[in-house]
């Protein structure tokens, strides 16, 4: 999924990234469960937070600019 790729890219650029997922795990549909678990593990090692079973009704985006 493109959102995962973009999230990882921004994290590698130094941005704090949190991914909200409607499902219980990443890539829950159409992939083997082990794939989602492996991606979750890699993201955790890279400092990317994943919030499972979140519908995102109300989200706050904070942008912090360092000058």
């Amino acid at each position: 999924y493109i959102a995962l790729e973009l999230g990882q890219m921004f994290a590698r650029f130094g941005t704090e990234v949190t991914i909200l997922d409607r499902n219980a795990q990443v890539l829950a549909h159409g992939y083997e469960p082990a794939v989602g678990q492996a991606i979750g593990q890699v993201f955790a090692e890279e400092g990317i937070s994943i919030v499972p079973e979140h519908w995102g009704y109300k989200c706050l985006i904070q942008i912090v600019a360092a000058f």
Side-chain angles (χ1 to χ4, degrees), residues 46-57:
E46 292 188 16
I48 300 171
S49 301
I50 299 174
V51 180
E53 299 180 294
H54 192 289
W55 287 84
Y57 291 121

Side-chain angles (χ1 to χ4, degrees), residues 24 27 35 44 64:
L27 298 177
V35 173
V64 179

Side-chain angles (χ1 to χ4, degrees), residues 5-21:
E5 294 171 355
L6 287 173
Q8 187 177 39
M9 178 192 71
F10 282 112
R12 289 180 176 177
F13 287 153
T15 305
E16 184 178 315
V17 174
T18 301
I19 296 174
L20 306 178
D21 196 337

